[in-house]
Amino acid sequence: MTKPAIVIRDATFEHASFIGKCVLAAMDLYDFSISAAENPDTTAVCGRKDTLYSYKNSRLAMIEDVPVGCLVSYPGEIYEEARRLTFSLLPGVDKGMLEASGAETGPGEFYLDTLAVVPAYRGYGIGRMLLQD
């Protein structure tokens, strides 16, 4: 298996759909191998600058300008406000469950939220590269 040239870079607004798929895949709500449709609500959330899953909080693994992996992470200081906004924008989210689940991170911490690699590109160390980045 020849390792392709992989570049790790900041995501841009144009990558919101891919980031949304990665976020949903990390929650077992999307399967890259059988799903093609994007979720417009998740794409809209990822296209904003002020949500947990923002493209501003995302790094991508690229092969020939095609995204094949994603890591979404952020400082704990933004968590509470960004969490409220993020989940207020997603229809069907159980607000009671959110209240009961409590904070996953807080000030002084850096949170690794979502890590996903397109199945066809697994086994090349892309997840490791994203974490090391």
Side-chain angles (χ1 to χ4, degrees):
M1 173 162 68
T2 304
K3 185 175 179 178
I6 301 163
V7 174
I8 307 296
R9 59 168 282 201
D10 287 335
T12 65
F13 172 81
E14 290 74 24
H15 297 114
S17 174
F18 180 75
I19 297 163
K21 290 175 182 178
C22 291
V23 168
L24 292 173
M27 295 181 208
D28 286 330
L29 298 173
Y30 183 84
D31 183 345
F32 285 103
S33 64
I34 59 172
S35 303
E38 66 182 61
N39 180 310
D41 298 316
T42 307
T43 298
V45 165
C46 297
R48 293 178 59 121
K49 294 180 181 180
D50 53 356
T51 63
L52 293 178
Y53 309 130
S54 170
Y55 68 92
K56 292 291 210 176
N57 297 330
S58 303
R59 296 282 286 165
L60 299 179
M62 309 286 289
I63 297 176
E64 297 180 7
D65 293 324
V66 175
V68 297
C70 177
L71 175 66
V72 178
S73 57
Y74 41 81
E77 286 77 8
I78 74 161
Y79 179 74
E80 285 298 330
E81 185 177 336
R83 178 180 191 234
R84 278 191 293 278
L85 174 62
T86 300
F87 292 105
S88 74
L89 297 170
L90 293 171
V93 173
D94 180 351
K95 305 302 187 236
M97 181 216 49
L98 285 177
E99 295 300 321
S101 67
E104 295 176 306
T105 190
E109 299 176 339
F110 193 78
Y111 191 69
L112 303 179
D113 189 295
T114 297
L115 176 64
V117 176
V118 174
Y121 295 97
R122 293 178 184 161
Y124 293 106
I126 292 171
R128 180 180 297 117
M129 290 175 70
L130 285 163
L131 287 170
Q132 289 173 337
D133 176 70

